[in-house]
Amino acid sequence: MTSEPIEAREAEQARALLAPLRDAPSAWDEARADAVWDRIVEARGADRRRRVALTFAAAAAAAGLAVGLALTSARRPPAPAPVAESAAPLAPGAPLRGRVALPSGAQVEAVGAGIRVATATADETRLDLRDGAVESQVPHLAAGQRYVVETPLAAVEVRGTRFTVEHHPEGATEVRVTEGRVEVRPVDGRPGRLVGPGETLRVQRLDRAGAEAAEDAGDLSQAVAILQRLAEQAPTDLERRNHALRAGRLLDAHGPVEDAVAWWARLRVRHPEGAHAEEFAFRHADALRRAGRLDEARAAGAALRARFPDGARAAETRGW
Amino acid sequence: MDGPVAEAPPNPEAALIERLIAGDEAAHRSFYRTHAADVHRLARRFVHSDAEADEVVQEVFLSAFKAIDRFRGGSKLRTWLYRITVNRALKRQRWWSRRREVGSEPLDHRAQRAPGPEVRAADREALAIVRRCLDALDDRKRTVLVLHELEGLDTKEIAAVLDCPRSTVLTRLSRARAELVKSARALGVALPDDEGEPR
């Protein structure tokens, strides 16, 4: 048999196989469309206002926790030293791009559209970084001289060092130090950190975008910590439940199973009714099963079936 | 006798793009309303819950609104959106693939049962098997198969979405079908016109 009839037959078979997926009804409806649109509007509004809504900053400061601060010593190859190409006067508010020599003697290389000069005198340099990256090489400054890069999330102040500050509007500021030390102070009052040569510090926004940025960066414990915080403090009950579910899902996927058990147990008790209640109960039972606590898992499964006899999850707990 | 010289027909997509670049809120909403269902459906082909597909929709439109001034018009807006959707959905799916423990369940079981109780268990089983076979393909083959067999795009459109030669699409499509069929056979699925194979 030649390859053409085989290919034709496979094409036909593949089409037949995929028919159930092709014909599966979509869950997309008006309510879903509206909800997603609201989230888009909210995200765009926050971006457009060019400020970060640190919704939970006060609570984070009160707790004094380092949630959202991730210090890594992943060493990156040092960037080439910037060479000043422009020494033109820099008015407050002026956009900063390319390699620039500042009146303080610092040399910077600015990449991105969201970088402006707030102050640039011999005694004080303040750069306003909203989107992009600034690499700075700062000479040792005399007493009273200051050099600060400010992002919506943190102020990075330095003397006599070389470092890069990068801000992602999606929810993170990253500081990489090549030489010397800088102090990074989150604007929400969380404790600052000194960052040394070869180290990278990331300040993550304490909201959903911050959690997603942490996920994207592969910093899953950070993402879980942010989501758990949001699960306690988000403004609406549904948001709290959604954040809780996301946190638990991450724990299920990569966290210690006992942490997952504890988290789901807490949610099951806290939310016995309403959105995700059945899922919380199922996840708890399933985590118990994965933890090898089979008797408890069976009991939790039985409770789930009694509570949600028609639920989609009930059947999954039978036979444990 | 010559008729009146016809004016070039207006290009509604070009007009829409201009309004989007200008920041016209009504245009943004209309653009979203027109394409969101398609984006969600396509995203759902790759991710494992409707909730995750919602998030892909959000990411796709945020990204599109942000980058619309860089849209060069070399393709249709829909093609461009599909490209963003595939990239975002695959990124998310890969993220989960790296982290999901064997046997863990997708988040949104409500979405998983979206077809409703009227759908028989056997149908759900069939869906699960097909998904499994599809998931076994590598991203490139799966993407081509999804765009062609599930989304109905022709190979030229797929080449535009993936920004690759049509010949590449054809090759991937052929291999994807062969691997899908092989996976299904391995799972004991009966296939039509399988000579000498169990039906």
Coordinates of all heavy atoms in Angstrom, one line a residue, chain A residues 33-77:
Chain A
A33 N -18.0 36.3 29.4 CA -17.4 37.3 28.6 C -17.4 38.6 29.4 O -16.3 39.4 29.4 CB -18.2 37.5 27.3
D34 N -18.4 38.9 30.1 CA -18.5 40.2 30.9 C -17.4 40.1 32.1 O -16.7 41.1 32.3 CB -19.8 40.4 31.5 CG -20.9 40.8 30.5 OD1 -20.4 41.2 29.4 OD2 -22.1 40.7 30.7
A35 N -17.3 39.0 32.7 CA -16.4 38.9 33.8 C -14.9 39.0 33.3 O -14.1 39.8 34.0 CB -16.5 37.5 34.5
V36 N -14.6 38.4 32.2 CA -13.2 38.5 31.7 C -13.0 40.0 31.2 O -11.9 40.5 31.5 CB -13.0 37.5 30.6 CG1 -11.6 37.7 30.0 CG2 -13.1 36.1 31.1
W37 N -14.0 40.6 30.6 CA -13.8 41.9 30.2 C -13.6 42.9 31.4 O -12.7 43.8 31.3 CB -15.1 42.4 29.4 CG -15.0 43.9 29.0 CD1 -15.7 44.9 29.4 CD2 -14.1 44.4 28.0 NE1 -15.3 46.1 28.8 CE2 -14.3 45.8 27.9 CE3 -13.1 43.9 27.2 CZ2 -13.6 46.7 27.1 CZ3 -12.4 44.7 26.3 CH2 -12.7 46.1 26.3
D38 N -14.3 42.6 32.4 CA -14.1 43.5 33.6 C -12.6 43.4 34.1 O -12.0 44.4 34.5 CB -15.0 43.0 34.8 CG -16.5 43.5 34.5 OD1 -16.7 44.3 33.6 OD2 -17.4 43.0 35.1
R39 N -12.1 42.1 34.1 CA -10.7 42.0 34.5 C -9.8 42.7 33.6 O -8.8 43.3 34.0 CB -10.4 40.5 34.6 CG -10.9 39.8 35.8 CD -11.1 38.4 35.8 NE -10.1 37.6 35.1 CZ -10.1 36.3 34.9 NH1 -11.2 35.6 35.2 NH2 -9.1 35.7 34.4
I40 N -10.1 42.6 32.3 CA -9.2 43.3 31.3 C -9.2 44.8 31.6 O -8.2 45.5 31.6 CB -9.7 43.0 29.9 CG1 -9.4 41.6 29.5 CG2 -9.0 43.9 28.9 CD1 -10.0 41.1 28.2
V41 N -10.4 45.4 31.8 CA -10.6 46.8 32.0 C -9.8 47.2 33.3 O -9.1 48.2 33.3 CB -12.1 47.2 32.1 CG1 -12.2 48.6 32.7 CG2 -12.8 47.0 30.8
E42 N -9.9 46.3 34.3 CA -9.3 46.6 35.5 C -7.8 46.6 35.3 O -7.0 47.5 35.8 CB -9.7 45.6 36.6 CG -9.1 45.8 37.9 CD -9.4 44.6 38.9 OE1 -10.1 43.7 38.5 OE2 -8.7 44.6 39.9
A43 N -7.3 45.6 34.7 CA -5.8 45.5 34.4 C -5.3 46.7 33.6 O -4.2 47.2 33.9 CB -5.5 44.2 33.8
R44 N -6.1 47.1 32.6 CA -5.6 48.1 31.7 C -5.7 49.5 32.5 O -4.8 50.3 32.3 CB -6.5 48.2 30.5 CG -6.3 47.1 29.5 CD -7.1 47.2 28.3 NE -6.7 48.3 27.5 CZ -7.5 49.1 26.8 NH1 -8.8 48.9 26.8 NH2 -7.0 50.0 26.0
G45 N -6.7 49.6 33.3 CA -6.8 50.8 34.1 C -5.7 51.0 35.0 O -5.1 52.1 35.1
A46 N -5.3 49.9 35.6 CA -4.2 50.0 36.6 C -2.9 50.4 35.8 O -2.1 51.2 36.3 CB -4.0 48.7 37.3
D47 N -2.7 49.8 34.7 CA -1.5 50.0 33.9 C -1.5 51.5 33.4 O -0.5 52.2 33.5 CB -1.5 49.1 32.7 CG -0.1 49.0 32.0 OD1 0.8 49.3 32.8 OD2 -0.1 48.8 30.8
R48 N -2.7 52.0 33.0 CA -2.8 53.3 32.4 C -2.5 54.4 33.5 O -1.9 55.4 33.2 CB -4.1 53.5 31.8 CG -4.1 54.6 30.7 CD -5.5 54.7 30.1 NE -5.9 53.6 29.3 CZ -7.0 52.9 29.4 NH1 -7.8 53.2 30.4 NH2 -7.2 51.9 28.7
R49 N -3.0 54.1 34.7 CA -2.8 55.0 35.8 C -1.3 55.1 36.2 O -0.9 55.9 36.9 CB -3.6 54.7 37.0 CG -5.1 55.0 36.8 CD -5.8 54.9 38.1 NE -5.8 53.6 38.7 CZ -6.6 52.6 38.4 NH1 -7.5 52.8 37.5 NH2 -6.5 51.4 38.9
R50 N -0.6 54.2 35.7 CA 0.9 54.1 35.9 C 1.2 54.1 37.4 O 2.1 54.7 37.9 CB 1.6 55.3 35.2 CG 1.4 55.3 33.8 CD 2.1 56.4 33.1 NE 3.5 56.0 33.1 CZ 4.5 56.9 32.9 NH1 4.2 58.1 32.7 NH2 5.7 56.5 32.9
R51 N 0.4 53.4 38.1 CA 0.7 53.2 39.5 C 0.3 51.8 39.9 O -0.6 51.2 39.2 CB 0.0 54.2 40.4 CG -1.5 54.1 40.4 CD -2.1 55.1 41.3 NE -3.5 55.1 41.3 CZ -4.2 54.2 42.0 NH1 -3.6 53.3 42.7 NH2 -5.5 54.2 41.9
V52 N 0.9 51.3 40.9 CA 0.5 50.0 41.3 C -0.4 50.0 42.4 O -0.2 50.7 43.4 CB 1.8 49.2 41.7 CG1 1.5 47.8 42.2 CG2 2.7 49.1 40.5
A53 N -1.5 49.3 42.3 CA -2.5 49.3 43.4 C -2.0 48.3 44.4 O -2.3 47.1 44.3 CB -3.8 49.0 42.8
L54 N -1.3 48.7 45.3 CA -0.8 47.8 46.4 C -1.9 47.6 47.4 O -1.9 48.1 48.5 CB 0.4 48.3 47.0 CG 1.6 48.3 46.1 CD1 2.7 49.1 46.7 CD2 2.1 46.9 45.9
T55 N -2.9 46.8 46.9 CA -4.2 46.7 47.7 C -3.9 46.2 49.1 O -4.6 46.6 50.0 CB -5.1 45.7 47.0 OG1 -5.0 45.9 45.6 CG2 -6.5 45.7 47.5
F56 N -2.9 45.4 49.2 CA -2.8 44.8 50.6 C -1.5 45.2 51.2 O -0.9 44.6 52.1 CB -2.8 43.3 50.4 CG -4.0 42.8 49.6 CD1 -3.9 42.4 48.4 CD2 -5.3 43.0 50.2 CE1 -5.0 42.0 47.6 CE2 -6.4 42.6 49.4 CZ -6.2 42.2 48.2
A57 N -1.0 46.4 50.8 CA 0.3 46.8 51.3 C 0.3 47.0 52.8 O 1.2 46.6 53.5 CB 0.7 48.1 50.6
A58 N -0.8 47.6 53.3 CA -0.8 47.9 54.7 C -0.7 46.7 55.6 O 0.0 46.6 56.5 CB -2.1 48.7 55.1
A59 N -1.5 45.7 55.1 CA -1.5 44.4 55.9 C -0.1 43.8 55.8 O 0.4 43.2 56.8 CB -2.6 43.5 55.3
A60 N 0.5 43.8 54.6 CA 1.8 43.2 54.4 C 2.8 43.9 55.3 O 3.6 43.2 55.9 CB 2.2 43.3 53.0
A61 N 2.7 45.2 55.4 CA 3.6 45.9 56.2 C 3.5 45.6 57.7 O 4.4 45.4 58.4 CB 3.5 47.4 56.0
A62 N 2.2 45.5 58.1 CA 1.9 45.1 59.5 C 2.4 43.8 59.8 O 3.0 43.5 60.9 CB 0.4 45.2 59.7
A63 N 2.3 42.9 58.9 CA 2.8 41.5 59.1 C 4.3 41.5 59.1 O 4.9 40.7 59.7 CB 2.2 40.6 58.1
G64 N 4.9 42.5 58.3 CA 6.3 42.5 58.3 C 6.9 41.3 57.7 O 8.1 41.0 57.9
L65 N 6.2 40.7 56.8 CA 6.7 39.5 56.2 C 7.4 39.8 54.9 O 7.3 40.9 54.3 CB 5.5 38.5 55.9 CG 4.8 38.0 57.1 CD1 3.6 37.2 56.7 CD2 5.7 37.2 58.0
A66 N 8.2 38.9 54.5 CA 9.0 39.2 53.3 C 8.3 38.6 52.1 O 9.0 38.3 51.1 CB 10.4 38.5 53.5
V67 N 7.0 38.4 52.2 CA 6.3 37.9 51.1 C 6.5 38.8 49.9 O 6.3 40.0 50.1 CB 4.8 37.8 51.4 CG1 4.0 37.5 50.1 CG2 4.6 36.7 52.4
G68 N 6.8 38.3 48.8 CA 7.0 39.2 47.6 C 8.4 39.6 47.4 O 8.8 40.2 46.5
L69 N 9.3 39.3 48.4 CA 10.7 39.7 48.2 C 11.4 38.3 48.0 O 11.4 37.5 48.8 CB 11.2 40.3 49.5 CG 10.9 41.8 49.7 CD1 11.4 42.2 51.0 CD2 11.4 42.6 48.6
A70 N 11.9 38.2 46.8 CA 12.6 37.0 46.5 C 14.1 37.3 46.2 O 14.4 38.0 45.3 CB 12.0 36.3 45.3
L71 N 15.0 36.8 47.1 CA 16.4 37.1 46.9 C 17.0 35.8 46.3 O 16.9 34.8 46.9 CB 17.0 37.4 48.2 CG 18.5 37.8 48.2 CD1 18.7 39.0 47.3 CD2 19.0 38.1 49.6
T72 N 17.6 36.0 45.2 CA 18.3 34.9 44.6 C 19.8 35.3 44.4 O 20.1 36.4 44.2 CB 17.7 34.4 43.3 OG1 17.9 35.5 42.4 CG2 16.3 34.1 43.4
S73 N 20.6 34.3 44.3 CA 22.0 34.6 44.0 C 22.4 34.1 42.6 O 23.5 33.9 42.4 CB 23.0 34.1 45.0 OG 22.4 33.3 45.9
A74 N 21.4 34.0 41.8 CA 21.6 33.5 40.4 C 22.5 34.6 39.8 O 22.1 35.7 39.6 CB 20.3 33.4 39.7
R75 N 23.7 34.2 39.5 CA 24.6 35.1 38.9 C 24.4 35.2 37.4 O 24.2 34.2 36.7 CB 26.1 34.7 39.2 CG 26.4 34.8 40.6 CD 27.8 34.4 40.9 NE 28.1 34.5 42.3 CZ 28.6 35.6 42.9 NH1 28.9 36.6 42.2 NH2 28.8 35.6 44.2
R76 N 24.3 36.4 36.9 CA 24.2 36.6 35.5 C 25.5 37.2 34.9 O 26.2 37.8 35.7 CB 23.1 37.6 35.2 CG 21.7 37.2 35.8 CD 20.7 38.1 35.4 NE 19.4 37.7 36.0 CZ 18.3 37.9 35.4 NH1 18.2 38.5 34.3 NH2 17.2 37.4 36.0
P77 N 25.7 36.9 33.7 CA 26.9 37.5 33.1 C 26.8 39.0 33.2 O 25.8 39.6 32.8 CB 26.9 37.0 31.7 CG 25.5 36.5 31.4 CD 24.9 36.2 32.7

